[in-house]
Amino acid sequence: MTESTHASLHELLEHGQSYWLDNLSRRMIRDGELERRVGQEGLRGVTSNPAIFRSAISGGDAYDEQIEHLVRSGRSLMETYEELACSDLQDACDILRPVYDESAGRDGYVSLEVSPHLIHDTEGSLEEARRLWARVDRPNLYIKIPGTPAGAPAVEQLIYEGISVNVTLLFSLSAYEEVARAYIRGLRRRLDEGEPVDGVTSVASFFLSRIDVLVDELLGHRIGISDTSDGASFGPRAEDLLGQAAIASAKLAYASFERLFSGPEWEPLAAAGAGVQRLLWASTSTKNPTYNDVMYVEPLIGPETVNTMPESTIAAFADHGAVRPGSIRDGAEQASRTLADLEDLGIDLKSVHQRLIDEGAKKFIVPFDALLDGLARKRFDVLGDDIASEEYELGDMSGSVDSTLSAMSAARFVRRLFAGDTSLWTRSDETARLIRERLGWLDLSVLQETMDAARTLADSLGQENVGHAVILGMGGSSLTAAVAARVFGRAPDAPELHVLDDTSPEAITDLESRIELERTVFLVASKSGTTLETLSLYRYFYSRVEQAGVESPGNRFIGLTDAGTLLEIEARQKSFRQTFETPEAVGGRFSALTSFGLVPMALLGADLDAVCYHAQAMLTSCGPDGSANLSPGVKLGAALAYLSDRGYRHVTLLASESLAAFPLWIEQLLAESTGKGGQGLIPVVSDPALDMRRPKSGRVIVTTELAGDRSVQARLEALSSAGCPVIRLIIPSLEAIGGEFIRWQIATATAGALLGINPFDEPDVRASQENTRRLLETISEGKLPDEPAATRQGGLSGYLRSDAPWSSSLSNGTLDALLSDFLSLARPENYVGILAYFPPTAERLAALDRLRRAIARLGPVTTLAQGPRYLHSTGQLHKGGPDTGVFLMLTADPSARIPVPGAEYGFGELHRAQALGDYEALLEADRPILRINLGWYITEALDRLAATIG
C-alpha cells in the first residue's frame, strides 16, 4: 500500500468515521504489522471472532509453545483457548493503547467474543464476559455480546458494571434500537448510583453483506414475475431491489441512532461525560462479485460511526474508494421505501432477520467448535504416550458409529452431559431431580482434599505399625478397593489390604485366620449406611475387637459413608478413629474416585497424585468443550450403545495380566447402570471359553491393556478373525487406571442416554433385599424354611419351580437330565449366568471355569457371579435387563455357624437367605433359574456337573 493510497483511509477519520480491522493473529502482532497499520495507516481498532482465531491458531506454529505449556499444566480446551486469545488480546490492546489515550477512550479498542454457544444465554454470557474482562485487564477491550433477546439484558448489566461492550449480530432496526436502549439504561443506572459514565463505552455492530446475500436469494425467486396479465407491473420489481436491503437498513439504523442519542433522555448522560454507542458497520466485504467492492463503505460514512473491514476491503478502499462526507444521511426516505417494497414483494423481513441471527450464530459456532477440536487434537499430540489411547475395529459398522457421533455433536451431547442436562435420560420431573442428585462424579474438585486426608490416615497407621486393613463393604463401596489391591499391590511397610464382601461363615473364618486383630483396622464402607451385609460384618468384628481386649475398640474402625447416615451416627457414638463423608451426589458405583477408592489406595501406598492426574486428564479429554468423536468416554459409550442396538450386547472384557481385576469394576458399573427396563449391556468377565476359536453370538470385545503388555494379543487375533468387533483401550501405566474410571463412567452415562435408560437408579435391586429380610424373619430354631428338592442325585439336590411357564418341558427325572433340559433353554443369543454362593478358592474358580467351558460348547455365552456380592453389581441386570438370561444358581452347605451380633440368625443363615431371596426375585421376574445345592464337597460337585454336560 503506497503512501498516496493512505489518504482515503485517514480522510475517513476527518469525517467522523473510524476504520477497524476485522482480523487478528499472533503473527501480525509479533512481526510489527499491527503496529505499522496503527502508526502509518490510521487503523483505529481490531475485532476478532472464532473464525479468525481458528485461522490464526491453525495457520502455523506461533501458538504451539504456549499450547504445550497449557496442556501440560492440565488446562481444559476452553481454558486453553481463552489463554491463547487473551494473550493476543492483551498484546493487541497494548499496541492500540496510544490510540485509546489520544482519542480519550473513543477508539483504540480490540474486541473479544464470548462463546457463540451463549447466544441465547444471558447469565452464561455475563459470567464469561466478566471472566474475560478481568483476564485481559485492559481498558481498551470490548467484550462482544450478540444482540439477541438474551443479549440485550446482558449488555445493560455489563455497561452498568463498567464493562465496555461490542454488540454483534445486529440485522434489524428493532434489534438495534433495543440494544441502544439497553446501553442507555446501563449508563443511567451508573449515573443514578453516583458511578462515572465517561469510562465505559459501546459500539453496536450492524452486519451488512449477509443481509443482501439472503434477501437477494429471496428476490431471485421473484424476478420476472409481474402482477398484471399483459406483463406490465405497477408495483416494485424484484430486480430493482437487488443489493439494496443492507444499505437501506443501515441508513435507517443511523437515523434511529441520531434520534436515540439526542434529546432530554440522553442529554443528562452526555453532560456527565457519557459517549454515544457508535454504530459499527460489520460484514463489509462484498460477497457478490458483480457488486462494487466498496459498496458497504462509501455510502455509510458519517459522524460517530465505525467501519470494520477485512484486509481485502481495506485494500480496495485505499486503492479506489471515494470519501463522501455524510453519505450515511443521504436517501433516508428511499431507504424506508426499499424496505416497504421488499415487504410488498412478500419478503418477511422479521423472518429474514431471525434467519440471519441463526445463520450468524452458526457461522461462529462451527469455526469455534472446529477450533476447540483442533486444540483437542493438539492436546493429544502433546501428551502422546502420557495418556491412554484407543483403537476401534468395528468393520463395516465404523461409519455408522461415526455418523452417530456426528449427530451427537450437532445435538451438543457432550456439553449437555457436563452441564447436567437431565433431558438426556428422562422427561420426568421427579426422575430428573433424582438424576441431578447423582451427577457429582463429573466434578473432581474435591479430589485433593480427600487425597490429603487419606494420606494423613495412611501415615498415622504406618507409625502405629498397623499390619492389616479390612474393607467391609459391598458393590461400589468395596470393588474399587479390591481392584486397587490387585493392580497396585502394596508398598513396603503398607498394611495388607483385605476386602470382605461375603457373608458366608467360611469367608469370615478365612479372613480371621489371616489377620491379627490387635494390628488391624476395619474400614466400614456403606454409602447409604444401612447395607445389611456391611453392618452385620461390622458388628461381628467390633465384638471380636472388644473380645480381644483392644483398648478403645472404636479407634480400630474407620467409616466411609454419606453424612447423616445411620453408620455415620454409629461412628460418632462408638468413637471411630475417623469418618470420611462421601459426596451425596455420587452414587455408589460411580464412587471410585471418592474416599471409597482413594482411602484404600492411600493405605496401599499407591501414587495418588498419578492416579488423580490421569483421572483429571481423562475428564479434560472427555469434554465438555470438544466434539463427541474426540471424547474418549462418549465415543466408547456411543459405540457400545450402537452395537447393542444391533445385537452385540455381550460386552466381553479382557485385560492385561496386571490389570486382570479391573473388568470386575467395569462389570458392576455396566450391569447395574444399564440392566433395566428389558434392556442393557451384558458384561462378560474372565470367560474361559474365548480360546475355543468360534464366533460367539452378539459379542463385542473391549480390552484394557497396559502399554507394552501383549498378553491379550493372541486372544484378540482369534476373536477378530471370528468377526467380533474389538475396542482396545491402552493405558501408559498402572496409575492411568484413574482415567479409566472416568472414561467408563462417562461411557456408561452415554450408553444409557442413547439406549433410553436411566443409568443412575437400580429399580430391581430391592426385590432380593426384601425377600432376604422376609426370610430371615421366618427363622425357626436357627433354620430357614426350605422347599422340597425337585430331584436328588449323588449328594446333589436340584430345586426348580415347576409352576413357571418355562419349566413345563423340563425333565422330572434325574438331576443330570434336569440340568441338560434346563441348559437347552439357552439359545446362542442367550447367556447362562452362573450364580455361585460359596467363597471362591483357587480350586473352585478353576472348577467353575471348567463348568463354563462345558456350557459354552452348547453355544451360549456364560457369565459368573459370586454371591452375595453380585446382588450389588450384576443382580440388577439379571432381573431388569434383557430377557436373555438363563440362570444356574449353585449353593453349598455352610461349614460352621457364626452368630450375627444382635440378630436371631447367624452368618450361615444370612448367606443362605440371600441366595434364596434372589432365587425368588428371579422367579418373580420370570427368569429361568435352576438351583443346585452342591453339599460340602464343592470342587468335586462342580467337576461332576461339567462332566454331565460333556
Side-chain angles (χ1 to χ4, degrees), residues 74 76 379 418 439-452 583 585-586 590-595 597-598 601 608-624 665 735-746:
S76 69
R379 179 178 176 277
F418 276 81
L439 294 173
W441 50 273
L442 286 167
D443 180 7
L444 297 181
S445 61
V446 299
L447 274 183
Q448 190 62 52
E449 181 181 347
T450 306
M451 287 164 51
D452 291 344
V586 180
F590 287 81
S591 64
L593 293 170
T594 69
S595 57
L598 295 176
M601 290 183 205
L608 289 188
D609 289 326
V611 171
C612 294
Y613 162 79
H614 285 286
Q616 187 62 64
M618 181 60 74
L619 191 68
T620 300
S621 295
C622 287
W665 180 86
E735 289 75 18
I737 199 173
E740 296 311 290
F741 291 133
I742 295 293
R743 184 208 300 267
W744 278 99
Q745 287 173 180
I746 290 175

Side-chain angles (χ1 to χ4, degrees), residues 99-150:
V99 176
Y100 174 82
D101 293 336
E102 172 267 326
S103 66
R106 182 172 180 270
D107 267 326
Y109 288 91
V110 185
S111 298
L112 176 60
E113 190 151 10
V114 298
S115 166
H117 289 289
L118 300 173
I119 186 170
H120 302 299
D121 184 348
T122 301
E123 290 304 317
S125 296
L126 286 170
E127 180 182 347
E128 187 161 313
R130 292 165 182 144
R131 185 177 69 251
L132 294 174
W133 177 262
R135 171 63 184 82
V136 175
D137 192 25
R138 299 292 190 274
N140 55 328
L141 173 72
Y142 270 139
I143 298 295
K144 295 174 79 172
I145 300 291
T148 59

Side-chain angles (χ1 to χ4, degrees), residues 397-413:
M397 292 182 286
S398 292
S400 297
V401 171
D402 289 342
S403 296
T404 298
L405 290 163
S406 295
M408 293 170 69
S409 293
R412 305 284 174 243
F413 181 91

Side-chain angles (χ1 to χ4, degrees), residues 167 179 238 292 318 323 368 387 486 489 556 585 628 663 696 702 713 799 824 840 884:
V167 187
V179 299
N292 186 337
V323 175
F368 184 73
I387 58 172
R486 290 174 59 182
R556 290 294 170 183
K696 295 298 178 185
V702 186
Q713 194 63 34
Y799 298 84
S824 70
T884 57

Side-chain angles (χ1 to χ4, degrees), residues 20-24 44-50 52-53 81 85-86 88-90 92-93 96 108-114 132-133 136 138-145 164-168 201-205 278 280 282 306 308:
W20 292 2
L21 174 64
D22 192 18
N23 191 22
L24 181 65
R44 308 287 286 178
V46 173
T47 62
S48 65
N49 61 49
I52 289 170
F53 268 112
Y81 157 69
C86 289
D88 282 1
L89 265 290
Q90 285 178 320
C93 282
L96 279 152
Y109 288 91
V110 185
S111 298
L112 176 60
E113 190 151 10
V114 298
L132 294 174
W133 177 262
V136 175
R138 299 292 190 274
N140 55 328
L141 173 72
Y142 270 139
I143 298 295
K144 295 174 79 172
I145 300 291
S164 297
V165 179
N166 177 347
V167 187
T168 68
T201 65
S202 177
V203 292
S205 297
R278 290 189 292 170
L280 181 151
V306 177
T308 296

Side-chain angles (χ1 to χ4, degrees), residues 519-600:
R519 298 184 60 233
T520 300
V521 293
F522 295 88
L523 284 75
V524 189
S526 170
K527 181 170 177 58
S528 68
T530 59
T531 309
L532 175 63
E533 301 94 326
T534 303
L535 294 182
S536 298
L537 292 168
Y538 151 66
R539 292 187 181 105
Y540 173 76
F541 281 104
Y542 192 92
S543 69
R544 294 289 291 126
V545 170
E546 283 184 316
Q547 293 166 13
V550 174
E551 186 178 353
S552 302
N555 194 48
R556 290 294 170 183
F557 290 83
I558 297 158
L560 307 174
T561 188
D562 282 3
T565 66
L566 290 176
L567 175 57
E568 192 266 339
I569 295 170
E570 174 83 0
R572 280 190 277 110
Q573 291 176 345
K574 292 294 179 67
S575 300
F576 275 23
R577 181 189 193 101
Q578 188 170 350
T579 298
F580 289 83
E581 291 186 1
T582 53
E584 187 176 353
V586 180
R589 56 186 176 276
F590 287 81
S591 64
L593 293 170
T594 69
S595 57
F596 286 125
L598 295 176
V599 172

Side-chain angles (χ1 to χ4, degrees), residues 276-357:
V276 300
Q277 182 190 55
R278 290 189 292 170
L279 268 167
L280 181 151
W281 313 126
S283 184
T284 57
S285 62
T286 306
K287 305 299 190 294
N288 188 328
T290 67
Y291 292 166
N292 186 337
D293 57 1
V294 291
M295 67 178 288
Y296 300 114
V297 184
E298 291 179 338
L300 301 177
I301 299 170
E304 304 293 357
T305 60
V306 177
N307 198 310
T308 296
M309 301 180 241
E311 294 181 36
S312 59
T313 304
I314 291 173
F317 189 75
D319 179 68
H320 52 266
V323 175
R324 292 158 40 193
S327 60
I328 185 61
R329 295 191 176 103
D330 298 338
E333 287 187 17
Q334 179 58 47
S336 294
R337 284 197 299 273
T338 296
L339 297 189
D341 287 346
L342 290 169
E343 293 281 0
D344 287 344
L345 284 172
I347 295 176
D348 183 353
L349 291 178
K350 185 175 181 180
S351 298
V352 166
H353 298 149
Q354 185 57 54
R355 180 173 163 185
L356 286 168
I357 288 174

